[in-house]
Amino acid sequence: MSIVLLGASGQVGHELRKALAIHADLQAPTRLELDLAELGQVRAYLSHHRPQWVINAAAYTAVDKAETETELAFRLNAELPECLAKYCVERDILLTHYSSDYVYPGDGEHFWKEDSPTGPLSYYGRSKLAGDEAVQASGCASQIFRTSWVYSARGNNFMKTMLRLGRERDTLSIVDDQVGSPTPARLIADMTVWACQRYLDDQELTGMFHLAPRGEVSWYGFAQEIFRLAREANTPLAIDEAALVPLATDEYPTAATRPSNSRLCLRRTESTFGVKLPHWKEQLALTLTDYLK
């Protein structure tokens, strides 16, 4: 199968590239090779390579900057997916696209389902929702995975930031009233490959799916577990366990509003693809070990 993977330099894209390495015909252009903000270039690239599967792991993810860099955020998060969807529907091929928990209003303590009412609190969330809607409206065969709190052993993310700060500081304050499930990029990549394999057997397996580990935790609890595992691995840390301080969201103002509830219902994903998604603690242990090595 010939595949075009966009966004290969990002956390998810990097893991996808590794997971798809066995495929002989994988095109994963770098930013220097293809400017994803230039949709004409994107269309020409697809027409030249004629893939049988398009994976869009590219996105504008600077949540706070998106409040001012609205044009670029909308181009990458909404117009690019629309462009890809139009190409895929014309050629009857599968599009895999990634969405975000930020499309939901983030209130309450319930688990969001794929058909729950949306209500983004930030421009980033609105741009991601516009991309989802464009893909769905196109009528192309698509698998859209809404995920949350992505991290990996590579790139810039919460896990690596905590480890760095934990080495440098003897106290840290972390938000404790935003709840979700930290999702490693490796899990997203592995599930993407599995979902495509299932699609090849049954082309009805399309639509919107939530993709995250089981369990829930606050950013504060996530940091606690990161430091606990780091100490078990004998990683030098300046911060003491008792010096991690819980913080309320309103004590840490940001340009973009974050959802307090990012709990995602996984029932549809697990039943559709015949899987039981792992717990976030198990996935953190694997990712942290990978990073420390």
Side-chain angles (χ1 to χ4, degrees):
M1 173 182 282
S2 61
I3 304 167
V4 164
L5 166 63
L6 302 182
S9 63
Q11 294 183 94
V12 174
H14 178 76
E15 295 296 334
L16 280 164
R17 192 168 188 169
K18 290 197 297 183
L20 295 167
I22 60 172
H23 295 272
D25 191 8
L26 173 64
Q27 303 295 325
T30 66
R31 293 174 182 175
L32 292 177
E33 294 171 321
L34 180 62
D35 184 352
L36 298 180
E38 295 295 332
L39 301 184
Q41 291 185 25
V42 174
R43 285 189 288 267
Y45 186 92
L46 293 172
S47 297
H48 175 72
H49 290 283
R50 302 177 63 84
Q52 297 167 291
W53 179 19
V54 176
I55 308 175
N56 180 34
Y60 183 103
T61 57
V63 176
D64 289 319
K65 284 187 177 181
E67 295 297 311
T68 53
E69 296 183 352
T70 55
E71 184 176 346
L72 181 58
F74 195 82
R75 175 67 58 85
L76 293 176
N77 291 345
E79 294 177 358
L80 175 62
E82 182 179 27
C83 171
L84 301 176
K86 288 179 178 178
Y87 177 88
C88 290
V89 75
E90 289 170 0
R91 288 152 183 83
D92 194 24
I93 61 175
L94 177 67
L95 171 63
T96 298
H97 176 65
Y98 302 96
S99 183
S100 168
D101 58 296
Y102 278 51
V103 304
Y104 298 113
D107 55 342
E109 297 183 357
H110 54 282
F111 286 78
W112 302 104
K113 297 180 180 180
E114 287 84 352
D115 58 356
S116 293
T118 53
L121 303 175
S122 64
Y123 192 84
Y124 167 77
R126 291 194 290 275
S127 67
K128 291 298 293 181
L129 179 59
D132 297 352
E133 292 174 341
V135 171
Q136 291 174 313
S138 74
C140 78
S142 64
Q143 291 177 339
I144 304 175
F145 294 106
R146 278 185 179 153
T147 188
S148 66
W149 297 18
V150 178
Y151 71 102
S152 71
R154 182 180 181 277
N156 298 318
N157 56 70
F158 185 82
M159 182 192 77
K160 291 178 66 178
T161 297
M162 287 299 101
L163 290 172
R164 176 178 58 81
L165 293 177
R167 296 186 188 102
E168 299 171 353
R169 302 184 187 180
D170 56 9
T171 183
L172 281 173
S173 298
I174 309 295
V175 171
D176 194 33
D177 56 1
Q178 297 173 20
V179 176
S181 186
T183 308
R186 182 188 59 256
L187 176 64
I188 297 172
D190 290 345
M191 189 63 199
T192 297
V193 175
W194 174 244
C196 179
Q197 291 172 341
R198 292 295 312 277
Y199 168 80
L200 295 177
D201 295 329
D202 181 358
Q203 296 192 0
E204 295 297 316
L205 302 185
T206 58
M208 180 75 66
F209 304 96
H210 286 163
L211 177 50
R214 287 171 169 259
E216 59 189 80
V217 68
S218 69
W219 291 110
Y220 174 79
F222 188 23
Q224 283 184 311
E225 186 67 5
I226 291 168
F227 292 135
R228 186 187 72 80
L229 291 172
R231 291 189 185 95
E232 283 188 358
N234 297 316
T235 302
L237 294 173
I239 191 168
D240 183 79
E241 187 174 357
L244 196 62
V245 180
L247 190 71
T249 296
D250 58 11
E251 297 177 84
Y252 186 72
T254 56
T257 302
R258 268 71 171 172
S260 60
N261 174 22
S262 290
R263 299 171 176 89
L264 299 178
C265 178
L266 306 174
R267 190 175 301 116
R268 183 169 190 257
T269 301
E270 293 185 329
S271 62
T272 299
F273 298 110
V275 298
K276 182 177 179 180
L277 290 162
H279 196 274
W280 72 266
K281 285 188 177 182
E282 170 194 326
Q283 292 294 292
L284 173 59
L286 291 172
T287 308
L288 187 61
T289 298
D290 184 27
Y291 172 68
L292 294 177
K293 285 181 178 179

